[in-house]
Amino acid sequence: MRTGELMDLAWRPVEDGGEGTRAVLGLAGPPGAGKSTLARALVDGLRRRHGADAAAYVPLDGFHLSGAQLERLGLSSRKGSPPTFDVHGYAALLRRLASRPAHDVYVPDFDRALDEPVAARHVVAPGVRLVVTEGNYLACDLPGWREAREWIDEVWYVDADAAERRRRLLERQLAGGRTEEEARAWVEGNDMPNAGVVEAARDSAWVKRVFHWSGHD
């Protein structure tokens, strides 16, 4: 699907809700499918169409547990799997955003250079009409993720060919400083098993649409 068409579909709940409505769109899908790139493209495009407060970006990646917490829990080798996120904190943030408070809401992100979450990189202003959030597990029927989904109006599943996802994930790991051998081992031993968890939720009843994004157009 093309970006312009997806922008039209993303904005529809806002229009249907009328003045004062804030909608939350969730983009689920396996690692490397292009969720974060699409989310930013949607937000940027909708701001150009409807004004600076039209949409805001809220990544799940800001709720990665820190390296110290992963080490404490013995999960360093499973980084990116469901238990390595503060899903309850994420659900609480979505609840705040859905209630549309009369103040700025600050949103964390993940810094790939630091390989750590960072606080308050994004902000959602009171006037924002559409929140676009994205993360691997938004469609999964797992504890915590169900609660987060209560605050999401629509869940879309962004898919991509497995070979293309592997290529992107390998590039990501190489850019992060791993050797080619280390990068391949991480992708096959961690990212692709995580993708299997996500793919099991692809056809869930709460997923409104499934598509391959054609990229910037």
Side-chain angles (χ1 to χ4, degrees):
M1 295 184 73
R2 294 183 175 276
T3 308
E5 180 183 1
L6 291 170
M7 287 166 57
D8 293 339
L9 294 170
W11 194 249
R12 191 172 294 168
V14 176
E15 292 181 328
D16 291 346
E19 190 65 31
T21 296
R22 171 179 283 174
V24 180
L25 170 64
L27 305 180
K35 300 180 299 299
S36 60
T37 306
L38 172 58
R40 291 186 181 95
L42 290 174
V43 168
D44 290 346
L46 290 168
R47 285 174 174 171
R48 288 193 296 271
R49 279 188 185 180
H50 302 288
D53 277 352
Y57 175 51
V58 174
L60 169 64
D61 274 358
F63 290 88
H64 269 288
L65 298 183
S66 69
Q69 295 304 324
L70 293 175
E71 184 174 353
R72 178 182 67 85
L73 295 167
L75 290 170
S76 298
S77 65
R78 294 296 293 124
K79 190 169 187 174
S81 62
T84 66
F85 289 90
D86 175 18
V87 64
H88 301 292
Y90 176 65
L93 175 69
L94 293 182
R95 182 174 66 247
R96 288 177 66 199
L97 292 172
S99 70
R100 200 172 184 181
H103 56 78
D104 290 343
V105 177
Y106 293 96
V107 176
D109 201 352
F110 188 80
D111 191 307
R112 294 195 181 278
L114 297 174
D115 201 31
E116 290 281 1
V118 293
R121 177 167 284 176
H122 305 282
V123 61
V124 180
V128 165
R129 305 289 304 281
L130 177 69
V131 171
V132 182
T133 187
E134 51 82 18
N136 296 343
Y137 305 106
L138 302 192
C140 292
D141 191 23
L142 297 170
W145 305 97
R146 301 185 197 107
E147 289 73 19
R149 202 161 49 245
E150 291 178 10
W151 307 102
I152 298 176
D153 295 282
E154 291 188 6
V155 176
W156 297 357
Y157 189 100
V158 186
D159 212 347
D161 178 75
E164 176 63 15
R165 288 191 280 112
R166 275 191 175 88
R167 183 189 66 77
R168 294 172 182 172
L169 292 167
L170 182 60
E171 288 182 353
R172 181 184 297 175
Q173 294 303 317
L174 291 171
R178 296 183 190 269
T179 66
E180 184 164 350
E181 182 179 357
E182 290 169 338
R184 290 189 184 279
W186 183 268
V187 170
E188 295 304 324
N190 194 61
D191 288 338
M192 298 312 288
N194 291 342
V197 175
V198 177
E199 288 165 343
R202 183 181 187 274
D203 298 319
S204 299
W206 45 83
V207 174
K208 187 174 181 65
R209 45 183 52 91
V210 179
F211 58 89
H212 285 64
W213 179 43
S214 60
H216 292 285
D217 46 33

